[in-house]
Amino acid sequence: MSMGIGINTQKPDEGRFTRELQDVACGVWFTRTGRIMPKTMKYQDAEGMIQFIGNIQVHSHEKKYYCGIPLWEYRCSTVCEGREYQYRLYYYIDTGCWKVSWGG
């Protein structure tokens, strides 16, 4: 008789990544426990200009796997000119790259 011990020990996989991503540069803070917290971000807009976002508010973060690729997903927002913008930042652990997906 099997009691389920030892089953489902694999990491949960989110499947195929479907969000549109853009490469970004992030300034981060490492906490005392080694947790990575994004604080600032630079990205290239549609006109080719480099834009800066400061004061990133991280609402949640979670380690995920997409098709076996490990990454940290950060749900963030920034207030700019009286408007709140929501987005997700992704940190690819294997390559050390940051990407953004605009919208909540």
Side-chain angles (χ1 to χ4, degrees):
M1 179 175 180
S2 176
M3 299 304 269
I5 297 175
I7 29 182
N8 297 332
T9 58
Q10 297 176 352
K11 302 173 197 103
D13 197 290
E14 301 293 321
R16 194 163 179 233
F17 202 87
T18 57
R19 297 177 74 85
E20 189 174 322
L21 297 175
Q22 180 182 2
D23 292 330
V24 295
C26 268
V28 301
W29 177 263
F30 289 91
T31 66
R32 181 186 59 81
T33 59
R35 194 170 87 185
I36 302 169
M37 296 301 294
K39 293 294 180 186
T40 62
M41 174 175 68
K42 287 185 180 180
Y43 67 95
Q44 192 171 15
D45 66 14
E47 289 83 33
M49 301 294 294
I50 302 296
Q51 300 295 327
F52 175 80
I53 294 177
N55 196 23
I56 295 174
Q57 298 295 315
V58 177
H59 300 288
S60 68
H61 66 282
E62 180 178 5
K63 188 172 186 179
K64 291 189 173 186
Y65 294 84
Y66 286 95
C67 294
I69 299 171
L71 57 86
W72 281 96
E73 178 184 82
Y74 296 85
R75 291 181 184 237
C76 305
S77 69
T78 298
V79 175
C80 182
E81 297 178 5
R83 234 180 122 190
E84 182 180 40
Y85 297 92
Q86 295 185 350
Y87 50 93
R88 295 182 192 187
L89 283 172
Y90 296 95
Y91 176 66
Y92 286 80
I93 298 165
D94 293 345
T95 60
C97 294
W98 287 90
K99 298 187 185 271
V100 67
S101 174
W102 301 105

